């Protein structure tokens, strides 16, 4: 089998929570752990994508460091996976220009995320928000990605990257870009707000009680889970009994995801018992899972220079591969090459 090159990006959002941890973060760590000899993983913080909508500069810088720290604290090993921020590898933006000349306006016009994010004021959206998927294509093609772990919402962007790769290879009669496969993580539960089981757990929820932050202390975690909204019924005997009970379902799914057990199994264990019993048990599980992550996270955040150093090292490594691909591209399209 040929070697895998795993590439993925994540936007820098400050204030990481349990939802982020059980989503992209843990999945990236799993994929890193599954690397075979000769495989490579490139993980980056997509700060170039972040500025497609205005970001306060100091906040962006801090959020980038926080995301890097959270990734390392969750288990990304900068010695095994190449971890960097987008903007420190200028080849991303350079390749995006060339690919922007390959992609068609009609293709971009079909991107649903742009339609959602630009909303009613499409004329007022940034050009960067519109060409965002071209940069994303450059992100993966620059490393000749074979596998790209993304959420469901990014599948369309990945398909566009494949279309761009095919058209580039065909137009220039080369085989520079392999076609990247999206890999959608199978078990990522959608973690919900602790105040309202119909809403996502989110950093933008004004209520601190709605989420468990990766920096929360065990006492805070316990207090938040004790106050988490539930219904008055006891736990059901099986997963099917969670239907129509979004808060109960959320808590059971968090328990299941963190212990690697099935929701059915958890229901069977707690069947007929009330949440007054279940919540402390859940808190124990959450605290045990997050304690090492938050300790490492707090330690890293106290040493921003160390984070910056690790990211700079990652960027230097990424540039070796990136520069090679970009040189091939320049040759293929007819630019003067040294
Ligand atoms: N657009 C992705 C998101 O918002 C982040 C991203 C940027 C990405 N570049 C990427 C994901 C390349 C996968 C590959 O989630």
């Amino acid at each position: 089998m040929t070697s895998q090159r795993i590439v993925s990006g994540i936007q820098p959002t400050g204030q990481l929570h349990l939802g982020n941890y059980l989503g992209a973060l843990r999945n990236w760590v799993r994929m890193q752990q599954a690397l075979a000899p000769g495989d490579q993983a490139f993980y980056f913080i997509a700060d170039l994508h972040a500025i497609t909508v205005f970001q306060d500069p100091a906040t962006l810088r801090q959020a980038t460091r926080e995301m890097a720290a959270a990734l390392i604290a969750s288990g990304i090993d900068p010695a095994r996976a190449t971890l960097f921020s987008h903007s420190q590898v200028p080849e991303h933006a350079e390749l995006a220009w060339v690919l922007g000349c390959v992609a068609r306006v009609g293709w971009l016009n079909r991107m649903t995320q742009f339609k959602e994010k630009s909303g009613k004021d499409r004329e007022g959206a940034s050009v960067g928000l519109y060409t965002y998927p071209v940069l994303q294509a450059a992100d993966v093609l620059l490393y000749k990605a074979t596998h790209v772990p993304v959420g469901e919402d990014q599948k369309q962007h990945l398909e566009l990257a494949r279309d761009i790769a095919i058209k580039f290879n065909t137009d220039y009669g080369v085989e520079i870009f392999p076609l990247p496969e999206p890999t959608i993580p199978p078990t990522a539960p959608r973690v919900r707000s602790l105040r309202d089981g119909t809403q996502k757990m989110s950093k933008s929820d004004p209520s601190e009680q709605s989420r468990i932050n990766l920096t929360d202390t065990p006492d805070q975690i316990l207090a938040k889970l004790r106050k988490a909204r539930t219904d008055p019924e006891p736990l059901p005997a099986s997963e099917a009994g969670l239907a129509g009970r979004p808060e109960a379902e959320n808590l059971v799914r968090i328990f299941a995801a963190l212990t690697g057990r099935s929701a059915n199994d958890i229901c069977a264990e707690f069947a007929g018992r009330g949440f007054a019993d279940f919540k402390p048990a859940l808190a124990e599980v959450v605290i045990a899972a997050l304690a090492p992550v938050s300790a490492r996270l707090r330690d890293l955040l106290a040493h921003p220079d160390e984070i910056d150093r690790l990211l700079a090292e990652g960027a230097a490594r990424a540039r070796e591969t990136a520069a090679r691909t970009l040189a091939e591209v320049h040759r293929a399209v007819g630019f003067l090459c040294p």
Side-chain angles (χ1 to χ4, degrees):
M1 218 185 79
T2 50
S3 57
Q4 292 194 355
R5 270 177 316 278
I6 296 164
V7 179
S8 198
I10 191 164
Q11 292 213 31
T13 46
Q15 266 220 42
L16 285 136
H17 53 70
L18 185 64
N20 306 119
Y21 176 73
L22 287 175
L25 270 55
R26 219 173 50 148
N27 185 47
W28 284 14
V29 172
R30 274 207 205 110
M31 293 192 78
Q32 169 197 277
Q33 282 162 351
L35 292 177
D39 289 349
Q40 285 177 291
F42 294 89
Y43 293 141
F44 58 88
I45 298 148
D47 53 0
L48 295 180
H49 277 122
I51 62 162
T52 54
V53 293
F54 180 80
Q55 304 290 325
D56 169 69
T59 309
L60 176 62
R61 211 174 337 267
Q62 179 61 17
T64 301
R65 289 194 181 112
E66 275 181 30
M67 182 56 86
L71 286 165
I72 296 167
S74 304
I76 295 298
D77 175 0
R80 283 181 76 186
T82 303
L83 178 68
F84 56 100
S85 81
H86 230 173
S87 58
Q88 292 187 307
V89 181
E91 287 81 1
H92 286 252
E94 291 184 54
L95 181 60
W97 175 259
V98 176
L99 299 184
C101 300
V102 174
R104 307 288 93 182
V105 170
W107 299 358
L108 286 187
N109 284 344
R110 286 196 286 275
M111 295 295 114
T112 55
Q113 188 173 296
F114 175 73
K115 290 181 198 168
E116 277 159 30
K117 284 200 181 171
S118 60
K120 284 207 171 65
D121 186 20
R122 201 160 299 175
E123 296 282 312
S126 73
V127 174
L129 189 66
Y130 181 67
T131 58
Y132 179 119
V134 176
L135 176 60
Q136 187 160 342
D139 293 343
V140 300
L141 298 180
L142 195 51
Y143 303 99
K144 304 191 179 188
T146 57
H147 295 79
V148 182
V150 283
E152 203 54 60
D153 64 324
Q154 296 298 312
K155 256 175 97 171
Q156 195 188 33
H157 288 165
L158 246 286
E159 273 154 27
L160 182 88
R162 292 166 62 93
D163 289 341
I164 292 175
I166 292 169
K167 185 162 164 57
F168 184 94
N169 287 344
T170 314
D171 284 357
Y172 292 104
V174 290
E175 280 182 43
I176 294 182
F177 300 124
L179 301 188
E181 291 289 343
T183 51
I184 314 270
T187 55
R190 268 178 221 189
V191 179
R192 305 288 174 180
S193 156
L194 300 179
R195 308 298 299 163
D196 175 354
T198 65
Q199 301 295 315
K200 265 177 40 172
M201 185 175 282
S202 159
K203 67 154 190 167
S204 46
D205 191 318
S207 166
E208 266 295 315
Q209 297 300 324
S210 72
R211 65 184 157 264
I212 291 171
N213 297 312
L214 293 190
T215 46
D216 282 349
T217 62
D219 285 349
Q220 285 171 313
I221 294 174
L222 182 62
K224 285 180 181 179
L225 286 173
R226 277 224 173 98
K227 281 196 213 118
R229 187 168 151 190
T230 46
D231 54 49
E233 301 295 316
L235 278 104
S238 73
E239 189 176 0
L242 294 170
R245 301 176 64 187
E247 285 84 13
E249 174 169 5
N250 185 40
L251 297 185
V252 170
R253 294 221 180 275
I254 292 172
F255 198 118
L258 287 174
T259 53
R261 292 167 56 190
S262 70
N264 236 350
D265 197 25
I266 312 293
C267 288
E269 181 184 337
F270 289 91
R273 287 160 68 187
F275 282 95
D277 277 356
F278 182 71
K279 284 173 169 180
L282 175 60
E284 207 175 294
V285 164
V286 174
I287 290 164
L290 292 192
V293 177
S294 55
R296 179 99 172 93
L297 180 56
R298 270 181 261 129
D299 184 46
L300 279 162
L301 289 175
H303 300 95
D305 292 355
E306 173 66 4
I307 302 174
D308 292 4
R309 188 185 65 74
L310 289 168
L311 287 177
E313 262 178 32
R317 235 182 313 137
R319 289 195 75 180
E320 291 172 18
T321 304
R324 246 181 280 131
T325 307
L326 195 65
E328 286 181 67
V329 167
H330 279 200
R331 216 169 299 122
V333 301
F335 294 163
L336 293 178
C337 296

